[in-house]
Amino acid sequence: MQIEFFKHSINHEEKEALLKVLDTPYIAMGKVVKELESKFSEYLKIKHSIAVSSCTDALYLSLRALNIDEGDEVITTPLTFVATSNAICATGAKPVFLDVDPLTGLIDIDEVEHRITKNTKAIIPVHLYGHMVDMDKLSNLASKHDLRIIEDCAHCIEGDFKGIKPGELSDTACFSFFATKNITSGEGGMISTNLDLLNEKLRMMRSHGQSTSADERYRKDIISWDMHILGLNHKMTDFQAAMLLPQLRRMDALWKKRKEIYQIYYDAFAANNIPMPIIRDGVKSGLHLFTIWTDKSKRTEILKQLRGKGIHCTMNYNPVHLLSYYQETYGYKLGDFPNAENIGLSTISLPFYPLLNSNQVHYVIENVCKILKEI
Ligand SMILES: *Cc1c(COP(=O)(O)O)cnc(C)c1O
């Protein structure tokens, strides 16, 4: 049996929607992107959503729009995809990492106050694997110290923390539609915000700083435009948006399928005493990745044996502060964040997506348990 690490859930609906766009005269950012933005806002019950070309862009633009610059510090977690902290570095600001909660892998909010300096401007919490950070606690802390919050929601559109949704208590929430995310257009991203001025600024920054978009000029017959702030090109296309709209409609059904698989995996691994992150009471996780924790020194061998059984796995994530660039540029080193290192260096991500059938799920369980017992 061969079990891919990930398979998307794109079907005939997306294919038809895509072809329809290709028959229109304007295939760049136009009215389908607008429709996606409004449907996305509706889903989150948020005021504005701004489609962009990736979550990395969403994070970078959010930081820029909030005037984060050289000399500033932004607090985040080392247990994330490198895009989170790369976006900080790209503004010239310094990423200041905090250790994580050993049970969930989420940034340890109780540590935030110890790392605030006069240069600290913002915090980027990451809703790791879909498990939302305690946004209530974090936003109280942020307002106490006048810090901005940018949520990295690459793993979580569907979740909430005790009823609080992504974007509800932050300046912006940033989403990814990369090929392996819960819904996808290959590449793509979204910024959601309740703040009107930030919305206007982000819309201009996504499109060269222009005061009107090419589509608006075309539809409304406007010829001239001006530029007030610096922007580059971070736009999404109508054909990406067309692919995302049907997936957005099916998103809760896709989540339910992952929830079923999550429960089967979780119960089986718990019964076999295999450690894994927990989901806290009152949290609805976006359920993006399913990870288990193994013996660090045996992880490579375990991955090799799983591959031998046709089970394709990955690691999410090797701690960012240990990557050469971060060690060399900021002086981070092994031992700085023990919980993040324990999790990051021992974790294995298993196949976890709606198209997995029951046979495959049980095949994964059987082989994981057997390999971990015998190694
Ligand atoms: C995928 C991912 C990103 C980057 O998303 P892109 O759309 O690929 O730029 C950022 N943060 C996390 C946690 C991710 O998993």
Side-chain angles (χ1 to χ4, degrees):
M1 196 171 329
Q2 286 295 320
I3 304 180
E4 298 302 328
F5 175 66
F6 181 78
K7 270 186 178 170
H8 62 65
S9 299
I10 290 167
N11 65 30
H12 65 96
E13 277 192 286
E14 283 77 24
K15 289 180 189 162
E16 281 158 24
L18 185 55
L19 287 175
K20 230 168 98 187
V21 169
L22 297 182
D23 284 334
T24 63
Y26 191 76
I27 61 170
M29 188 179 75
K31 63 179 195 304
V32 191
V33 168
K34 259 209 167 64
E35 187 186 345
L36 176 69
E37 289 176 339
S38 97
K39 290 277 157 53
F40 202 84
S41 294
E42 225 170 81
Y43 182 88
L44 288 178
K45 300 189 171 63
I46 203 163
K47 265 172 107 171
H48 311 284
S49 293
I50 303 112
V52 291
S53 39
S54 68
C55 182
T56 310
D57 275 6
L59 293 163
Y60 174 75
L61 286 172
S62 297
L63 289 161
R64 277 290 187 217
L66 291 165
N67 303 315
I68 310 293
D69 214 330
E70 220 168 301
D72 294 337
E73 291 176 4
V74 179
I75 292 174
T76 193
T77 164
L79 195 61
T80 181
F81 181 56
V82 72
T84 316
S85 45
N86 282 358
I88 300 170
C89 301
T91 67
K94 179 185 175 187
V96 173
F97 295 118
L98 286 189
D99 209 355
V100 301
D101 175 341
L103 297 181
T104 60
L106 297 177
I107 192 167
D108 185 352
I109 295 176
D110 294 329
E111 283 296 308
V112 170
E113 281 191 310
H114 300 143
R115 301 302 296 273
I116 293 176
T117 72
K118 64 178 190 334
N119 296 324
T120 310
K121 292 286 158 56
I123 306 174
I124 307 186
V126 178
H127 304 316
L128 190 69
Y129 314 140
H131 187 312
M132 272 185 71
V133 165
D134 183 341
M135 289 303 296
D136 211 11
K137 196 166 170 183
L138 187 63
S139 67
N140 281 330
L141 223 143
S143 34
K144 187 171 150 202
H145 296 277
D146 195 25
L147 303 177
R148 311 273 69 81
I149 303 179
I150 297 163
E151 288 172 80
D152 183 331
C153 299
H155 298 182
C156 186
I157 313 172
E158 309 91 328
D160 64 61
F161 184 91
K162 297 183 178 160
I164 300 163
K165 286 179 165 287
E168 197 171 324
L169 295 182
S170 59
D171 292 87
T172 70
C174 301
F175 302 88
S176 174
F177 308 125
F178 178 65
T180 57
K181 299 299 198 299
N182 290 353
I183 64 172
T184 179
S185 47
E187 299 279 1
M190 188 73 82
I191 312 172
S192 294
T193 180
N194 277 318
L195 305 173
D196 299 339
L197 287 177
L198 206 54
N199 169 53
E200 278 170 37
K201 195 169 176 187
L202 286 164
R203 281 181 192 285
M204 284 191 268
M205 287 176 73
R206 136 182 97 172
S207 187
H208 314 285
Q210 286 171 305
S211 51
T212 57
S213 71
D215 172 62
E216 273 171 337
R217 292 196 299 279
Y218 171 75
R219 282 186 295 112
K220 296 179 186 164
D221 230 359
I222 301 169
I223 292 172
S224 73
W225 52 269
D226 195 7
M227 178 193 142
H228 301 282
I229 55 171
L230 184 65
L232 295 170
N233 180 359
H234 306 273
K235 298 191 293 291
M236 180 187 273
T237 64
D238 267 10
F239 52 90
Q240 287 172 300
M243 284 179 64
L244 290 165
L245 277 162
Q247 291 178 77
L248 189 61
R249 288 194 290 272
R250 293 202 305 273
M251 195 164 63
D252 287 335
L254 295 171
W255 180 89
K256 283 204 183 88
K257 280 288 301 183
R258 290 199 306 281
K259 174 77 180 160
E260 283 169 25
I261 297 166
Y262 175 88
Q263 210 55 54
I264 298 169
Y265 269 165
Y266 189 90
D267 293 345
F269 296 134
N272 282 276
N273 296 317
I274 295 172
M276 57 201 153
I278 61 160
I279 296 177
R280 293 216 180 269
D281 290 344
V283 176
K284 179 188 174 191
S285 170
L287 299 174
H288 174 55
L289 290 168
F290 194 99
T291 66
I292 55 169
W293 298 335
T294 64
D295 183 335
K296 264 185 254 183
S297 61
K298 294 176 183 155
R299 181 169 68 168
T300 310
E301 180 56 28
I302 294 167
L303 283 167
K304 215 181 278 168
Q305 291 197 20
L306 285 167
R307 183 64 66 99
K309 291 289 180 187
I311 302 170
H312 297 252
C313 299
T314 65
M315 297 165 290
N316 303 88
Y317 294 93
N318 282 322
V320 173
H321 68 283
L322 298 182
L323 298 172
S324 299
Y325 176 83
Y326 284 87
Q327 295 209 35
E328 285 158 19
T329 311
Y330 302 103
Y332 289 116
K333 59 185 186 313
L334 189 69
D336 282 348
F337 309 107
N339 295 336
E341 290 164 11
N342 276 337
I343 296 176
L345 301 176
S346 73
T347 194
I348 292 179
S349 310
L350 301 176
F352 184 56
Y353 45 92
L355 286 182
L356 278 178
N357 65 37
S358 164
N359 276 345
Q360 293 171 315
V361 170
H362 287 103
Y363 181 82
V364 172
I365 291 169
E366 193 182 305
N367 282 287
V368 166
C369 293
K370 190 158 177 281
I371 290 168
L372 289 180
K373 212 163 269 158
E374 287 169 3
I375 201 156

